[in-house]
Amino acid sequence: MDDSATLTAAERADAAQALRAARARGLASLTAAVAWCAQHPVAILVPAAVAEFHQAKRCEGVREATVRSYRHQLGAFAAAHAARPLAALTPGDIAAHLLARANVTTRANRWQALATFFAWAAHRGYVGRNPVFQAMRKPLRPRPDRCIFTPAETAGLLARTKHTAALGYWVLALFAGLRTQEIHWLHEHPDPWSLIRPGTGVIDLRDQPPKTAPRVVPVTPALGAWLRWMRKHSLPFIGPNHWPRRRELQSAVLAPRPAGRFQFHNMPRRSYISYRLALPGASYAAIARDVGNSEGVLRKFYARSALRADAERYFALAPSRV
């Protein structure tokens, strides 16, 4: 071998370190690493990649609430690696970031956000392989209780919001089973009250981009009474700063319960479905059609979760009784 091709001890150590770094990223050799670098010339910094990811998700039409969640989950990650190229991060860096949180639910949320982000980055060519999957498997978080509001708790929610801009959300979620994005769509419609049709007794959601399928929602007597109250007092369908106020109110109402994990985001809709199923003559097919779910989902998650007496008290909660 030509002496000019002989590596010094320092050069051999540097080559060994480069090979370890390549293998940590799933590359089998330095040749593969060089080839990958030739194919991926862009060296984007972590904060710039995160900002581009947020913009890409908006362009894809992802819900704003989801984009805010990504921003929350990825913000600390971008700040911790502000001066580093995205492709320089290793599975060890990812694991260290995830393990910085002791709470398993928080760790699982971070894992999901990072996995989605790096999958996007790999598609863009900013990284070779998704390092999140190499760092650790998705943490197993405890399943929260699928509980519903009691009639007394429902009355408390309505009493606290009866004269506020927050009432619309609770009325439409508790007595129509509407999803939050469906209430947002109603609120942003040029003429939302035109979609609430007393003559046919329905809320018309056929023109919205729904989660499942276009549908009409029946206006029950309780819902009709609350909608008349809202219109009389010029209350919106959803109020400002909805999410933090909603969580704060739910936490206050549920505070007397024994300590436990509750699935907050779906409790009003789950309460509506559960209590409708508990009424005499309830039909899985009809309720599934009204709420935009399958009968299988209703039978699996909602069957026998409420009593008939509680259902009757729940749907008797008119404005005059709260």
Side-chain angles (χ1 to χ4, degrees):
M1 181 182 294
D2 187 355
D3 288 342
S4 62
T6 303
L7 298 177
T8 66
E11 289 169 337
R12 286 196 299 273
D14 188 51
Q17 181 179 359
L19 182 57
R20 285 194 297 271
R23 286 174 175 167
R25 292 165 177 77
L27 301 169
S29 66
L30 289 181
T31 303
V34 171
W36 186 88
C37 289
Q39 296 170 6
H40 302 81
V42 179
I44 189 170
L45 295 180
V46 175
V50 169
E52 186 179 332
F53 171 76
H54 292 326
Q55 187 60 38
K57 291 303 165 184
R58 285 199 181 89
C59 291
E60 291 172 13
V62 172
R63 292 189 303 122
E64 187 59 31
T66 304
V67 175
R68 287 197 300 270
S69 176
Y70 284 139
R71 186 183 300 114
H72 172 72
Q73 296 295 340
L74 297 173
F77 181 75
H81 302 286
R84 299 186 64 185
L86 187 65
L89 298 180
T90 68
D93 295 323
I94 306 299
H97 179 73
L98 294 172
L99 292 172
R101 291 291 183 177
N103 183 280
V104 67
T105 299
T106 303
R107 194 183 306 150
N109 291 339
R110 282 192 171 190
W111 187 98
Q112 187 62 60
L114 285 171
T116 304
F117 167 64
F118 275 101
W120 167 87
H123 180 74
R124 290 283 292 146
Y126 294 150
V127 296
R129 296 173 66 181
N130 193 326
V132 179
F133 299 118
Q134 297 172 277
M136 68 172 65
R137 297 178 67 178
K138 185 175 182 179
L140 297 176
R141 49 189 166 188
R143 185 183 295 276
D145 293 335
R146 289 180 173 272
C147 58
I148 62 177
F149 292 114
T150 66
E153 290 167 345
T154 305
L157 286 167
L158 295 169
R160 288 168 180 256
T161 57
K162 186 176 181 180
H163 298 281
T164 73
L167 177 67
Y169 164 79
W170 294 105
V171 165
L172 292 168
L174 289 166
F175 296 117
L178 265 60
R179 300 177 175 92
T180 303
Q181 60 265 40
E182 293 169 338
I183 299 172
H184 273 290
W185 179 81
L186 265 178
H187 178 75
E188 293 165 1
H189 192 276
D191 187 9
W193 286 103
S194 69
L195 302 176
I196 298 172
R197 297 168 181 167
T200 54
V202 298
I203 301 176
D204 192 342
L205 301 179
R206 288 176 293 184
D207 292 334
Q208 68 141 346
K211 182 177 178 180
T212 50
R215 69 186 195 279
V216 293
V217 179
V219 177
T220 62
L223 175 60
W226 281 106
L227 289 172
R228 289 190 293 273
W229 172 273
M230 286 173 55
R231 192 156 199 181
K232 177 182 177 181
H233 293 85
S234 302
L235 296 176
F237 287 91
I238 200 162
N241 299 320
H242 163 71
W243 180 247
R245 291 181 178 178
R246 168 183 162 185
R247 288 191 63 87
E248 180 182 353
L249 180 58
Q250 286 187 151
S251 297
V253 169
L254 295 173
R257 290 196 184 197
R261 284 179 43 76
F262 305 116
Q263 196 177 68
F264 278 106
H265 76 281
N266 207 30
M267 281 184 70
R269 174 177 162 85
R270 191 181 307 116
S271 301
Y272 170 78
I273 297 173
S274 299
Y275 286 125
R276 273 201 63 186
L277 285 170
L279 290 174
S283 163
Y284 277 97
I287 297 172
R289 181 185 63 244
D290 293 343
V291 301
N293 268 124
S294 68
E295 287 188 56
V297 168
L298 266 59
R299 292 182 186 278
K300 181 177 180 180
F301 295 112
Y302 298 93
R304 297 179 298 278
S305 58
L307 300 175
R308 173 179 172 176
D310 285 339
E312 292 171 346
R313 283 194 290 270
Y314 180 89
F315 286 109
L317 291 171
S320 60
R321 302 186 62 178
V322 172

